[in-house]
Every structure is written in C-alpha cells, then in structure tokens.
Amino acid sequence: MRDTNRLQEMDVFLAVVDEGSFSAAALARRMTPSAVSKMMSRLELRLGVTLMRRTTRSITITDEGTAFARSARGILAALDQAEREVGCGPVAGIVRIATSAAYANHILAPILPALLRQYPDLEIELLIGDGLIDMGGQPVDLGVRAGPLPDSTMRAQSLGVSEVITVRAAGGPHDPIGFAYARRDPIWREAASRLRATDGNTLAALALHGNGTARVGRFLVREELATGRLQLVPDAPVAREEFHVVYLGKAAALPARVSTVVAHLVRKGRVDR
C-alpha cells in the first residue's frame, strides 16, 4: 500500500513549473514554501532524477522535469475527464434511451432539442422498440416503459398516466375493421380486431386513413383529435396506463449526464400534459 500521494506531488510540481518558484507555488496550493520544497525533494528521490535545478534566485526545469511535467498534465487531465463523466463535472457524454417509437415521436421529439441546446456536450442515442430491454446486459442508461413495472433492481420515476382510447377517422365506417396492440394487457384489446401491431404509431395511422378503429394512447393522437381528423368512438371503454423512466442504481449516484436527462423527462416528458 502506497503512503505517497502521487497525484498531489504531480499537482504541486506543476504549480512550481507554472509559477516559477516554491513560494509562488506554495501560495497557489495553500502550503508553506518549506512543505513544497520537502515534497519536491521526496519526489526527486523517489524518481531518482533531478527535475529542477535550484539557485537562490530561480528554478530551472531539467529535460527530465519537462518530460515529467508533460506526462503529469496528461494524467491529471484524464482524471478530470473521468470525474466529469461520472458526475463530478459538466453534463457531457452519451445517454442511451430505450423507448417506443410512439413516445419518441410524440413526447421526446419536441423536448430534446432544448435539452441539447442547453448542454452542448451532451449526446442522446435513442434505441427504438416496444420490447423490453435487459438494461443490466445492454449499454442502455435509461428506459421508458409503459404499464406495470416488474419487481426488479431498477429504479423508476413517473412520467404520468396515459388514457388508452378507441378512435376512428372522422366520417369513417361505423362497422370497421378493428386494430389493436399485440400486447398481453387486456386494456389494448379491440373487439373483433383483425390486425394487430407492436407500434402505436402504425395503429393510429391505420385509423387516420379511414381503415377502421384503433386502441391508442391519447398522447399519440392529441393533435388529430383537436383538429377533428380523428374522433373518439362513442361508448368505447377508456383505460389508463402508467409510464415511467427506469434506470439502474440510486438517483443520487447517477452520472450528471444521466440524472440531467431523467430530470428533464420527469419535468417535460409526461404523457398526461
């Protein structure tokens, strides 16, 4: 086990190089000149080289000292980058989000540009699909899930509750073909549905083109209902489905890049606005 604080030695040595004297480096690092001098002597003894030549008036960095300074700057810069990536610095890096096409198109698409403008070093990668992803075995930071959450080690924050409604094109047939989500949850079952899909956008598009009725989340068709392009089917049952953003680990320990995206989704990405 090493007792020597090698990172501190590098930091103080670089302060001597940058400030040009022990006294100035001591002031910059809140140390005494004597402590700086002793630390530099121990560093040179441990390395077995002369890093600097001292006179009563000046300090000259040797070739070995110049090479060590260059390496030390790289090491400390890499340490700073590592700390930033795990949340001790600016919001930067890639956040991978597993989500459905419906949520991505109707909720994420309008709210992500503002987030990316606010954090220019942040990158978002969307993994689109309705299937469940093993977040422990895949390079995924966040997932957006609809419906009941299974018992697991995942943490979750609510994104609201979506109404599941039945719609059809305005003026469409009253005895149309039914379209439904191919999911086990009975709230998605459409009476006599002859076509099933795993994508809510596809179901909404089928209904919009006058082909029949579809069970969809209200947030998918909010605009079409407002403009009258789609209408609610009278007396059709209305169900409710919870949405969550899920992740592994405690919120307090998430990297800054991930916790920032979670906070943005909870604040702006609700399905019941």
Side-chain angles (χ1 to χ4, degrees), residues 2-121:
R2 297 186 179 94
D3 294 329
T4 302
N5 189 332
R6 298 164 71 184
L7 292 176
Q8 185 185 28
E9 285 183 342
M10 291 182 190
D11 182 61
V12 173
F13 172 67
L14 291 177
V16 173
V17 172
D18 294 339
E19 301 295 336
S21 71
F22 286 173
S23 58
L27 182 63
R29 293 297 180 268
R30 298 183 179 180
M31 300 170 65
T32 65
S34 175
V36 170
S37 178
K38 290 179 181 178
M39 181 177 287
M40 293 302 94
S41 295
R42 288 196 302 269
L43 175 61
E44 289 180 320
L45 180 63
R46 184 168 58 81
L47 296 179
V49 297
T50 299
L51 299 175
M52 59 192 80
R53 293 190 177 90
R54 309 160 179 82
T55 69
T56 55
R57 295 186 177 182
S58 65
I59 290 176
T60 302
I61 306 301
T62 65
D63 291 343
E64 292 79 9
T66 299
F68 184 70
R70 183 168 55 250
S71 298
R73 290 189 198 281
I75 291 169
L76 294 178
L79 177 62
D80 287 342
Q81 177 65 22
E83 290 181 342
R84 283 195 296 270
E85 290 180 354
V86 298
C88 297
V91 177
I94 301 174
V95 176
R96 297 175 178 85
I97 307 173
T99 183
S100 66
Y103 188 84
N105 280 271
H106 296 276
I107 304 295
L108 289 181
I111 68 171
L112 286 183
L115 180 68
L116 294 173
R117 284 193 296 269
Q118 184 177 359
Y119 299 102
D121 294 325

Side-chain angles (χ1 to χ4, degrees), residues 30-271:
R30 298 183 179 180
M31 300 170 65
T32 65
S34 175
V36 170
S37 178
K38 290 179 181 178
M39 181 177 287
M40 293 302 94
S41 295
R42 288 196 302 269
L43 175 61
E44 289 180 320
L45 180 63
R46 184 168 58 81
L47 296 179
V49 297
T50 299
L51 299 175
M52 59 192 80
R53 293 190 177 90
R54 309 160 179 82
T55 69
T56 55
R57 295 186 177 182
S58 65
I59 290 176
T60 302
I61 306 301
T62 65
D63 291 343
E64 292 79 9
T66 299
F68 184 70
R70 183 168 55 250
S71 298
R73 290 189 198 281
I75 291 169
L76 294 178
L79 177 62
D80 287 342
Q81 177 65 22
E83 290 181 342
R84 283 195 296 270
E85 290 180 354
V86 298
C88 297
V91 177
I94 301 174
V95 176
R96 297 175 178 85
I97 307 173
T99 183
S100 66
Y103 188 84
N105 280 271
H106 296 276
I107 304 295
L108 289 181
I111 68 171
L112 286 183
L115 180 68
L116 294 173
R117 284 193 296 269
Q118 184 177 359
Y119 299 102
D121 294 325
L122 179 66
E123 301 175 37
I124 302 292
E125 185 173 316
L126 301 179
L127 308 175
I128 305 300
D130 272 13
L132 297 181
I133 290 183
D134 177 13
M135 294 183 63
Q138 300 289 331
V140 177
D141 298 295
L142 302 173
V144 176
R145 294 191 174 175
L149 292 177
D151 293 333
S152 71
T153 58
M154 292 188 302
R155 305 298 176 111
Q157 294 195 48
S158 176
L159 297 177
V161 178
S162 171
E163 287 188 335
V164 178
I165 57 178
T166 304
V167 298
R168 66 180 176 216
H174 286 255
D175 55 349
I177 300 169
F179 308 122
Y181 239 142
R183 288 170 63 177
R184 293 181 180 179
D185 195 323
I187 68 172
W188 290 102
R189 293 174 188 166
E190 170 69 354
S193 59
R194 294 172 54 198
L195 190 155
R196 290 168 294 281
T198 58
D199 174 48
N201 282 328
T202 300
L203 297 176
L206 288 167
L208 187 61
H209 286 85
N211 297 308
T213 64
R215 292 283 282 170
V216 295
R218 183 182 286 273
F219 71 89
L220 270 74
V221 294
R222 190 176 293 123
E223 182 177 341
E224 287 77 8
L225 288 172
T227 60
R229 298 174 67 198
L230 285 175
Q231 63 184 25
L232 292 171
V233 174
D235 301 323
V238 176
R240 292 165 66 83
E241 184 175 56
E242 292 184 293
F243 275 69
H244 293 89
V245 56
V246 298
Y247 48 88
L248 295 172
K250 297 181 180 180
L254 290 176
R257 61 185 169 84
V258 178
S259 62
T260 297
V261 175
V262 170
H264 189 70
L265 295 188
V266 171
R267 188 170 61 253
K268 299 289 187 179
R270 295 180 63 88
V271 296

